Coordinates of all heavy atoms in Angstrom, one line a residue:
M918 N 3.0 13.1 48.6 CA 1.8 13.8 48.4 C 0.8 13.5 49.5 O 0.7 12.4 49.9 CB 1.2 13.3 47.1 CG 1.5 14.1 45.9 SD 0.5 13.6 44.4 CE 1.8 13.9 43.2
V919 N 0.1 14.5 49.9 CA -0.9 14.3 50.9 C -2.1 13.6 50.3 O -2.3 13.7 49.0 CB -1.3 15.6 51.6 CG1 -0.2 16.2 52.3 CG2 -1.8 16.6 50.5
D920 N -2.8 12.9 51.1 CA -4.0 12.1 50.6 C -5.0 12.9 49.7 O -5.5 12.5 48.7 CB -4.7 11.4 51.7 CG -3.8 10.3 52.3 OD1 -2.9 9.8 51.6 OD2 -4.1 9.9 53.5
E921 N -5.3 14.1 50.2 CA -6.3 15.0 49.4 C -5.8 15.3 48.1 O -6.5 15.2 47.1 CB -6.5 16.3 50.2 CG -7.3 16.1 51.4 CD -7.5 17.4 52.2 OE1 -7.2 18.5 51.6 OE2 -7.9 17.3 53.3
L922 N -4.4 15.6 47.9 CA -3.9 15.9 46.7 C -3.8 14.6 45.7 O -4.1 14.7 44.5 CB -2.5 16.5 46.8 CG -1.8 16.8 45.5 CD1 -2.6 17.9 44.7 CD2 -0.4 17.4 45.9
K923 N -3.6 13.5 46.3 CA -3.6 12.2 45.6 C -4.9 12.0 44.9 O -5.0 11.6 43.8 CB -3.2 11.0 46.5 CG -1.8 11.0 46.8 CD -1.5 9.8 47.7 CE -0.1 9.8 48.3 NZ 0.1 8.7 49.3
L924 N -6.0 12.2 45.7 CA -7.3 12.0 45.2 C -7.6 13.0 44.0 O -8.2 12.6 43.0 CB -8.4 12.1 46.3 CG -8.4 11.0 47.3 CD1 -9.4 11.3 48.5 CD2 -8.7 9.7 46.7
E925 N -7.2 14.2 44.2 CA -7.4 15.2 43.2 C -6.6 14.9 41.9 O -7.1 15.0 40.8 CB -7.0 16.6 43.7 CG -7.3 17.7 42.8 CD -6.9 19.1 43.5 OE1 -6.8 19.2 44.8 OE2 -6.6 20.0 42.7
V926 N -5.4 14.4 42.1 CA -4.6 14.0 40.9 C -5.2 12.8 40.2 O -5.3 12.8 39.0 CB -3.1 13.7 41.4 CG1 -2.3 13.1 40.2 CG2 -2.4 15.0 41.9
V927 N -5.7 11.8 40.9 CA -6.3 10.7 40.3 C -7.5 11.1 39.5 O -7.7 10.7 38.3 CB -6.8 9.6 41.4 CG1 -7.7 8.6 40.8 CG2 -5.5 9.0 42.0
D928 N -8.3 12.1 40.0 CA -9.4 12.6 39.3 C -9.0 13.3 38.0 O -9.6 13.1 36.9 CB -10.3 13.5 40.1 CG -11.1 12.8 41.2 OD1 -11.3 11.6 41.0 OD2 -11.6 13.5 42.1
M929 N -7.9 14.1 38.1 CA -7.4 14.8 36.9 C -6.9 13.9 35.8 O -7.3 14.0 34.7 CB -6.1 15.7 37.3 CG -6.3 16.9 38.0 SD -4.8 17.7 38.2 CE -4.8 18.3 39.8
V930 N -6.2 12.8 36.2 CA -5.7 11.8 35.3 C -6.8 11.1 34.6 O -6.8 10.9 33.4 CB -4.7 10.9 36.0 CG1 -4.3 9.7 35.0 CG2 -3.4 11.6 36.4
V931 N -7.7 10.6 35.4 CA -8.9 9.8 34.8 C -9.7 10.6 33.9 O -10.0 10.2 32.7 CB -9.8 9.3 36.0 CG1 -11.0 8.7 35.4 CG2 -9.0 8.2 36.8
T932 N -10.0 11.9 34.2 CA -10.7 12.8 33.3 C -9.9 13.1 32.0 O -10.5 13.0 31.0 CB -11.0 14.1 34.0 OG1 -11.7 13.9 35.2 CG2 -11.8 15.1 33.2
A933 N -8.6 13.4 32.1 CA -7.8 13.7 30.9 C -7.7 12.4 30.0 O -7.9 12.6 28.8 CB -6.4 14.2 31.3
V934 N -7.5 11.3 30.6 CA -7.3 10.1 29.8 C -8.7 9.7 29.1 O -8.7 9.3 27.9 CB -6.7 8.9 30.6 CG1 -6.8 7.6 29.8 CG2 -5.3 9.2 31.0
E935 N -9.7 9.8 29.9 CA -11.0 9.5 29.2 C -11.4 10.5 28.1 O -11.9 10.2 27.1 CB -12.2 9.6 30.3 CG -12.1 8.3 31.2 CD -13.1 8.3 32.3 OE1 -13.8 9.4 32.6 OE2 -13.4 7.3 32.9
K936 N -11.1 11.8 28.3 CA -11.4 12.8 27.3 C -10.5 12.6 26.0 O -11.0 12.9 25.0 CB -11.2 14.2 27.9 CG -11.5 15.3 27.0 CD -11.4 16.6 27.7 CE -11.8 17.8 26.8 NZ -11.7 19.1 27.4
H937 N -9.2 12.3 26.3 CA -8.3 12.2 25.1 C -7.8 10.7 25.0 O -6.6 10.5 24.8 CB -7.0 13.1 25.4 CG -7.4 14.5 25.6 ND1 -7.7 15.3 24.5 CD2 -7.5 15.3 26.7 CE1 -8.0 16.5 24.9 NE2 -7.9 16.6 26.3
F938 N -8.8 9.8 25.0 CA -8.4 8.4 25.0 C -7.6 7.9 23.8 O -6.7 7.1 23.9 CB -9.7 7.5 25.2 CG -9.4 6.1 25.4 CD1 -8.9 5.7 26.6 CD2 -9.4 5.2 24.3 CE1 -8.6 4.3 26.8 CE2 -9.1 3.8 24.6 CZ -8.7 3.4 25.8
S939 N -7.9 8.5 22.7 CA -7.1 8.1 21.4 C -5.9 8.9 21.2 O -5.2 8.5 20.3 CB -8.1 8.2 20.2 OG -8.5 9.6 20.1
N940 N -5.6 9.8 22.1 CA -4.4 10.6 21.9 C -3.6 10.8 23.2 O -3.9 11.8 24.0 CB -4.7 12.0 21.3 CG -3.6 12.8 20.8 OD1 -2.4 12.6 21.4 ND2 -3.8 13.8 20.0
Y941 N -2.7 9.9 23.5 CA -2.0 10.0 24.8 C -1.2 11.3 25.0 O -1.0 11.8 26.1 CB -1.1 8.7 25.0 CG -1.8 7.4 25.0 CD1 -1.3 6.3 24.4 CD2 -3.0 7.3 25.6 CE1 -1.9 5.1 24.4 CE2 -3.7 6.1 25.6 CZ -3.1 5.0 25.0 OH -3.7 3.8 25.1
E942 N -0.7 11.8 23.9 CA 0.2 13.0 23.9 C -0.7 14.2 24.5 O -0.3 14.9 25.3 CB 0.7 13.3 22.6 CG 1.7 14.5 22.7 CD 2.4 14.7 21.3 OE1 2.4 13.9 20.4 OE2 2.9 15.9 21.1
S943 N -1.9 14.3 24.0 CA -2.8 15.3 24.4 C -3.2 15.1 25.9 O -3.3 16.1 26.7 CB -4.1 15.4 23.6 OG -3.9 15.7 22.3
A944 N -3.5 13.9 26.3 CA -3.8 13.6 27.7 C -2.6 14.0 28.6 O -2.8 14.7 29.6 CB -4.2 12.1 27.9
A945 N -1.4 13.6 28.2 CA -0.2 14.0 29.0 C -0.1 15.5 29.1 O 0.2 16.0 30.2 CB 1.0 13.4 28.5
K946 N -0.3 16.2 28.0 CA -0.2 17.7 28.0 C -1.2 18.3 29.0 O -0.9 19.2 29.8 CB -0.4 18.2 26.6 CG -0.2 19.7 26.5 CD -0.3 20.2 25.1 CE -0.1 21.6 24.9 NZ -0.3 22.1 23.6
V947 N -2.4 17.8 28.9 CA -3.5 18.4 29.9 C -3.1 18.1 31.3 O -3.2 19.0 32.2 CB -4.9 17.8 29.5 CG1 -5.9 18.0 30.6 CG2 -5.4 18.3 28.1
I948 N -2.7 16.9 31.6 CA -2.3 16.5 33.0 C -1.2 17.4 33.4 O -1.2 17.9 34.6 CB -2.0 15.0 33.1 CG1 -3.2 14.2 32.8 CG2 -1.4 14.7 34.5 CD1 -2.9 12.7 32.5
K949 N -0.1 17.6 32.6 CA 1.0 18.4 33.0 C 0.6 19.8 33.3 O 1.0 20.5 34.3 CB 2.1 18.4 31.9 CG 3.3 19.3 32.3 CD 4.3 19.5 31.2 CE 5.4 20.4 31.5 NZ 5.6 20.8 32.9
E950 N -0.3 20.4 32.4 CA -0.7 21.8 32.6 C -1.5 21.9 33.9 O -1.3 22.9 34.7 CB -1.5 22.2 31.4 CG -0.8 22.5 30.1 CD -1.6 22.7 28.9 OE1 -2.8 22.6 29.0 OE2 -1.0 23.0 27.9
L951 N -2.4 21.0 34.2 CA -3.1 21.0 35.4 C -2.2 20.8 36.7 O -2.4 21.5 37.7 CB -4.2 19.9 35.5 CG -5.3 20.1 34.5 CD1 -6.2 18.9 34.4 CD2 -6.2 21.3 34.9
M952 N -1.3 19.9 36.6 CA -0.3 19.7 37.7 C 0.6 20.9 37.9 O 0.8 21.3 39.1 CB 0.6 18.5 37.5 CG -0.2 17.2 37.6 SD -1.0 16.9 39.2 CE 0.5 16.8 40.2
D953 N 1.0 21.5 36.8 CA 1.9 22.8 37.0 C 1.1 23.9 37.7 O 1.6 24.6 38.5 CB 2.4 23.2 35.6 CG 3.5 22.4 35.1 OD1 4.0 21.6 35.8 OD2 3.8 22.5 33.9
K954 N -0.2 24.0 37.3 CA -1.0 25.1 37.9 C -1.3 24.7 39.4 O -1.2 25.6 40.2 CB -2.3 25.2 37.2 CG -2.2 25.9 35.8 CD -3.6 25.9 35.2 CE -3.5 26.5 33.8 NZ -4.8 26.4 33.1
R955 N -1.6 23.5 39.6 CA -2.0 23.1 41.0 C -0.8 23.0 42.0 O -0.9 23.4 43.1 CB -2.8 21.8 41.0 CG -3.1 21.1 42.3 CD -4.1 22.0 43.0 NE -4.7 21.4 44.2 CZ -4.1 21.5 45.4 NH1 -3.0 22.2 45.5 NH2 -4.6 20.9 46.4
C956 N 0.3 22.5 41.5 CA 1.4 22.2 42.4 C 2.7 22.9 42.1 O 3.8 22.6 42.6 CB 1.7 20.7 42.4 SG 0.3 19.7 42.8
G957 N 2.7 23.8 41.1 CA 3.9 24.5 40.7 C 4.6 23.7 39.5 O 4.2 22.6 39.2
S958 N 5.5 24.4 38.8 CA 6.0 23.9 37.5 C 7.0 22.7 37.8 O 7.2 22.4 38.9 CB 6.6 25.0 36.7 OG 7.7 25.5 37.4
S959 N 7.5 22.2 36.7 CA 8.5 21.1 36.8 C 7.9 19.7 36.8 O 8.6 18.8 37.2 CB 9.5 21.3 37.8 OG 10.2 22.5 37.7
W960 N 6.7 19.6 36.5 CA 6.1 18.2 36.4 C 6.4 17.5 35.1 O 6.3 18.2 34.0 CB 4.6 18.2 36.7 CG 4.3 18.4 38.1 CD1 4.2 19.6 38.8 CD2 4.2 17.4 39.1 NE1 4.1 19.4 40.1 CE2 4.0 18.1 40.4 CE3 4.2 16.0 39.1 CZ2 3.9 17.4 41.6 CZ3 4.0 15.4 40.3 CH2 3.9 16.0 41.5
H961 N 6.7 16.3 35.1 CA 6.9 15.5 33.9 C 5.8 14.5 33.8 O 5.6 13.7 34.9 CB 8.2 14.8 33.9 CG 9.4 15.8 34.0 ND1 9.9 16.5 33.0 CD2 10.0 16.2 35.1 CE1 10.9 17.3 33.4 NE2 11.0 17.1 34.7
V962 N 5.1 14.2 32.7 CA 4.0 13.3 32.7 C 4.1 12.5 31.4 O 4.4 13.1 30.3 CB 2.6 14.1 32.6 CG1 1.4 13.1 32.5 CG2 2.5 15.0 33.8
V963 N 4.0 11.2 31.5 CA 4.0 10.3 30.3 C 2.7 9.5 30.4 O 2.4 9.0 31.5 CB 5.2 9.3 30.4 CG1 5.1 8.4 29.2 CG2 6.5 10.1 30.3
V964 N 1.9 9.4 29.3 CA 0.7 8.6 29.3 C 0.9 7.6 28.1 O 1.3 8.1 27.0 CB -0.5 9.4 29.1 CG1 -1.8 8.6 28.9 CG2 -0.7 10.5 30.2
G965 N 0.7 6.4 28.3 CA 0.8 5.4 27.2 C 0.9 4.0 27.7 O 0.5 3.7 28.9
E966 N 1.1 3.2 26.8 CA 1.2 1.7 27.1 C 2.5 1.1 26.5 O 2.9 1.6 25.5 CB 0.0 1.0 26.6 CG -0.3 1.3 25.1 CD -1.7 0.8 24.7 OE1 -1.9 -0.5 24.6 OE2 -2.6 1.6 24.5
G967 N 3.1 0.1 27.2 CA 4.2 -0.5 26.6 C 5.4 0.3 26.6 O 6.1 0.3 25.5
F968 N 5.8 1.0 27.6 CA 7.1 1.7 27.7 C 7.8 1.5 29.0 O 7.2 1.1 30.0 CB 6.8 3.2 27.4 CG 6.0 3.9 28.5 CD1 6.7 4.5 29.6 CD2 4.6 4.0 28.4 CE1 5.9 5.0 30.6 CE2 3.9 4.6 29.4 CZ 4.6 5.2 30.5
G969 N 9.1 1.8 29.0 CA 9.8 1.7 30.2 C 10.4 3.1 30.5 O 10.4 4.0 29.6
F970 N 10.8 3.3 31.8 CA 11.4 4.6 32.1 C 12.3 4.4 33.3 O 12.2 3.5 34.1 CB 10.3 5.7 32.4 CG 9.5 5.4 33.6 CD1 9.8 5.9 34.8 CD2 8.3 4.6 33.5 CE1 9.0 5.6 35.9 CE2 7.6 4.3 34.6 CZ 7.9 4.8 35.8
D971 N 13.2 5.4 33.4 CA 14.2 5.5 34.5 C 13.9 6.8 35.2 O 13.8 7.8 34.4 CB 15.6 5.4 34.0 CG 16.6 5.4 35.1 OD1 16.2 5.2 36.3 OD2 17.7 5.7 34.9
V972 N 13.7 6.9 36.5 CA 13.3 8.2 37.1 C 14.2 8.5 38.3 O 14.5 7.6 39.1 CB 11.8 8.1 37.4 CG1 11.5 7.1 38.5 CG2 11.3 9.5 37.9
T973 N 14.5 9.7 38.4 CA 15.1 10.3 39.6 C 14.1 11.3 40.2 O 13.7 12.2 39.5 CB 16.5 10.9 39.3 OG1 17.3 10.0 38.6 CG2 17.1 11.4 40.6
H974 N 13.8 11.2 41.5 CA 12.8 12.1 42.0 C 13.1 12.4 43.4 O 13.8 11.7 44.2 CB 11.4 11.5 41.9 CG 11.2 10.2 42.6 ND1 10.7 10.3 43.9 CD2 11.5 9.0 42.3 CE1 10.7 9.0 44.4 NE2 11.1 8.2 43.4
E975 N 12.5 13.5 43.9 CA 12.5 13.8 45.4 C 11.4 13.0 46.0 O 10.4 12.7 45.4 CB 12.2 15.4 45.5 CG 13.3 16.2 44.9 CD 13.0 17.7 45.1 OE1 11.9 18.0 45.7 OE2 13.7 18.5 44.5
M976 N 11.6 12.8 47.3 CA 10.6 12.0 48.1 C 9.3 12.8 48.0 O 9.2 14.0 48.0 CB 11.1 11.9 49.5 CG 12.3 10.9 49.7 SD 12.7 10.6 51.3 CE 11.2 9.8 51.9
R977 N 8.2 12.0 47.9 CA 6.8 12.5 47.9 C 6.5 13.3 46.6 O 5.6 14.2 46.7 CB 6.5 13.3 49.2 CG 6.5 12.4 50.4 CD 6.0 13.1 51.6 NE 7.0 14.0 52.2 CZ 8.1 13.7 52.9 NH1 8.4 12.5 53.1 NH2 8.8 14.7 53.3
N978 N 7.2 13.1 45.6 CA 7.0 13.8 44.4 C 6.9 12.9 43.1 O 7.2 13.3 42.0 CB 8.1 14.9 44.0 CG 7.9 16.1 45.0 OD1 6.8 16.7 45.0 ND2 9.0 16.5 45.6
L979 N 6.4 11.6 43.3 CA 6.3 10.7 42.3 C 5.0 10.0 42.5 O 4.6 9.6 43.6 CB 7.4 9.7 42.3 CG 7.3 8.5 41.3 CD1 7.4 9.0 39.9 CD2 8.3 7.4 41.6
M980 N 4.3 9.9 41.4 CA 3.0 9.1 41.5 C 3.0 8.3 40.2 O 3.1 8.8 39.1 CB 1.8 10.0 41.6 CG 0.5 9.3 41.7 SD -0.8 10.6 42.1 CE -2.1 9.4 42.6
F981 N 2.7 7.0 40.3 CA 2.6 6.1 39.2 C 1.3 5.4 39.2 O 0.9 4.9 40.2 CB 3.8 5.1 39.2 CG 3.8 4.3 37.9 CD1 4.5 4.7 36.8 CD2 3.3 3.0 37.9 CE1 4.6 4.0 35.7 CE2 3.3 2.3 36.7 CZ 4.0 2.8 35.6
M982 N 0.5 5.5 38.1 CA -0.8 4.9 38.1 C -1.0 4.0 36.9 O -0.4 4.2 35.8 CB -1.8 6.1 37.9 CG -1.8 7.1 39.0 SD -2.8 8.5 38.6 CE -4.4 7.8 38.2
Y983 N -1.8 3.0 37.1 CA -2.4 2.2 36.0 C -3.8 2.5 35.8 O -4.6 2.6 36.8 CB -2.2 0.7 36.3 CG -0.8 0.2 36.3 CD1 -0.1 0.0 37.4 CD2 -0.2 -0.1 35.0 CE1 1.2 -0.5 37.3 CE2 1.1 -0.5 34.9 CZ 1.8 -0.8 36.1 OH 3.1 -1.2 36.1
F984 N -4.2 2.7 34.6 CA -5.6 3.1 34.3 C -6.1 2.1 33.3 O -5.6 2.1 32.2 CB -5.7 4.5 33.8 CG -7.0 5.0 33.4 CD1 -7.9 5.5 34.4 CD2 -7.4 5.1 32.1 CE1 -9.2 5.9 34.1 CE2 -8.7 5.5 31.8 CZ -9.5 6.0 32.8
G985 N -7.2 1.4 33.6 CA -7.7 0.4 32.6 C -8.5 1.1 31.6 O -9.5 1.9 31.8
G986 N -8.1 0.9 30.3 CA -8.8 1.6 29.2 C -10.1 0.9 28.8 O -10.4 -0.2 29.3
E987 N -10.8 1.5 27.9 CA -12.1 1.0 27.4 C -12.0 -0.4 26.8 O -12.8 -1.2 26.9 CB -12.8 2.0 26.5 CG -13.2 3.3 27.2 CD -13.7 4.3 26.2 OE1 -13.9 4.0 25.0 OE2 -14.1 5.3 26.7
S988 N -10.9 -0.6 26.1 CA -10.7 -1.9 25.4 C -9.9 -2.9 26.2 O -9.5 -3.9 25.7 CB -10.1 -1.7 24.0 OG -8.8 -1.0 24.2
G989 N -9.7 -2.6 27.5 CA -9.1 -3.6 28.3 C -7.6 -3.4 28.5 O -7.0 -4.0 29.4
E990 N -6.9 -2.6 27.7 CA -5.5 -2.4 27.9 C -5.2 -1.6 29.1 O -6.0 -0.8 29.5 CB -4.8 -1.8 26.6 CG -5.1 -0.4 26.4 CD -6.4 -0.2 25.6 OE1 -7.1 -1.1 25.2 OE2 -6.7 1.0 25.3
S991 N -4.0 -1.7 29.6 CA -3.6 -0.9 30.8 C -2.8 0.3 30.3 O -1.8 0.1 29.6 CB -2.8 -1.8 31.7 OG -2.4 -1.1 32.9
I992 N -3.2 1.5 30.7 CA -2.5 2.7 30.4 C -1.7 3.1 31.6 O -2.2 3.1 32.7 CB -3.5 3.8 30.0 CG1 -4.3 3.3 28.8 CG2 -2.7 5.1 29.8 CD1 -5.5 4.3 28.5
S993 N -0.4 3.4 31.5 CA 0.5 3.8 32.5 C 0.7 5.2 32.5 O 0.8 5.8 31.5 CB 1.9 3.1 32.4 OG 1.7 1.7 32.3
T994 N 0.7 5.8 33.7 CA 0.9 7.2 33.8 C 1.9 7.5 35.0 O 1.4 7.5 36.2 CB -0.4 8.0 34.1 OG1 -1.3 7.6 33.1 CG2 -0.2 9.5 34.0
P995 N 3.1 7.8 34.8 CA 4.0 8.3 35.9 C 4.0 9.8 35.9 O 4.0 10.4 34.8 CB 5.4 7.8 35.5 CG 5.3 7.6 34.0 CD 3.9 7.4 33.6
L996 N 3.9 10.4 37.0 CA 3.9 11.8 37.3 C 5.1 12.1 38.2 O 5.2 11.5 39.2 CB 2.6 12.3 38.0 CG 1.4 12.0 37.3 CD1 0.2 12.3 38.2 CD2 1.2 12.8 36.0
V997 N 6.0 12.9 37.7 CA 7.2 13.3 38.5 C 7.3 14.8 38.7 O 7.2 15.5 37.8 CB 8.5 12.8 37.8 CG1 9.7 13.1 38.7 CG2 8.4 11.3 37.5
G998 N 7.5 15.2 39.9 CA 7.5 16.7 40.2 C 8.7 17.1 41.0 O 9.5 16.3 41.5
G999 N 8.8 18.3 41.2 CA 9.8 18.9 42.1 C 11.3 18.8 41.6 O 12.2 18.5 42.2
G1000 N 11.4 18.9 40.2 CA 12.7 18.9 39.7 C 13.2 17.5 39.3 O 14.4 17.3 39.0
G1001 N 12.3 16.5 39.4 CA 12.7 15.2 39.0 C 13.0 15.1 37.6 O 12.6 15.9 36.7
V1002 N 13.6 13.9 37.2 CA 14.0 13.7 35.8 C 13.3 12.4 35.4 O 13.5 11.4 36.1 CB 15.5 13.6 35.6 CG1 15.9 13.3 34.2 CG2 16.1 14.9 36.1
L1003 N 12.6 12.3 34.3 CA 12.0 11.2 33.8 C 12.6 10.9 32.4 O 12.6 11.7 31.5 CB 10.5 11.4 33.6 CG 9.7 10.3 33.1 CD1 9.6 9.1 34.1 CD2 8.3 10.7 32.9
K1004 N 13.2 9.7 32.3 CA 13.8 9.3 31.0 C 12.9 8.1 30.4 O 12.9 7.1 31.1 CB 15.2 8.9 31.2 CG 16.1 10.0 31.7 CD 17.5 9.4 31.9 CE 18.4 10.5 32.5 NZ 19.7 10.0 32.9
R1005 N 12.4 8.3 29.3 CA 11.7 7.2 28.6 C 12.7 6.2 28.0 O 13.6 6.7 27.2 CB 10.8 7.8 27.6 CG 9.8 6.7 27.0 CD 8.7 7.4 26.3 NE 7.8 6.4 25.8 CZ 6.6 6.6 25.3 NH1 6.2 7.8 25.2 NH2 5.9 5.6 24.9
L1006 N 12.6 5.0 28.3 CA 13.6 4.0 27.8 C 12.9 3.2 26.6 O 11.7 2.9 26.6 CB 14.0 3.0 28.8 CG 14.5 3.7 30.1 CD1 14.8 2.6 31.1 CD2 15.8 4.3 29.8
P1007 N 13.7 2.9 25.6 CA 13.2 2.0 24.5 C 13.0 0.6 25.0 O 13.7 0.2 25.9 CB 14.2 2.1 23.4 CG 15.5 2.4 24.1 CD 15.1 3.3 25.3
L1008 N 12.0 -0.1 24.5 CA 11.8 -1.4 24.9 C 12.5 -2.4 24.1 O 12.8 -2.3 22.9 CB 10.3 -1.8 24.9 CG 9.5 -1.0 25.9 CD1 8.0 -1.4 25.8 CD2 9.9 -1.4 27.3

């Protein structure tokens, strides 16, 4: 991802997580819809805490973020695009 797009994506994620802080599924849905509109379809988004995942992705089509929540927990957000596959693994 180019630097300008990275900054835009960070803003999208922070806004969605702050708006839907108590509902990670809604936050992920909003982020996916925004990423699909901005960068084309096929984005996979997971928002939550305490999960593992296995990912196959094209170069420059993966972004993984940690976002500190209001109560101090760390929220993880992997974004995978361009036909990548994201598998959520049980812990």
Side-chain angles (χ1 to χ4, degrees):
M918 266 185 211
V919 295
D920 290 338
E921 290 176 14
L922 182 57
K923 285 180 189 176
L924 293 174
E925 190 176 331
V926 170
V927 169
D928 287 340
M929 280 187 226
V930 170
V931 169
T932 301
V934 171
E935 286 177 344
K936 184 175 180 180
H937 301 283
F938 188 76
S939 61
N940 188 340
Y941 297 144
E942 187 176 340
S943 293
K946 184 177 180 181
V947 167
I948 295 166
K949 179 187 174 16
E950 289 171 356
L951 291 170
M952 290 300 296
D953 285 349
K954 286 180 188 174
R955 175 65 174 85
C956 303
S958 61
S959 298
W960 284 87
H961 304 276
V962 180
V963 177
V964 176
E966 49 189 292
F968 65 87
F970 65 93
D971 182 18
V972 64
T973 303
H974 64 93
E975 294 178 7
M976 291 186 64
R977 294 184 288 283
N978 284 311
L979 172 70
M980 186 169 192
F981 188 82
M982 300 171 52
Y983 287 104
F984 179 79
E987 291 177 3
S988 59
E990 71 274 2
S991 179
I992 299 169
S993 301
T994 308
L996 304 169
V997 182
V1002 177
L1003 179 68
K1004 298 177 185 173
R1005 191 168 181 168
L1006 303 176
L1008 293 178

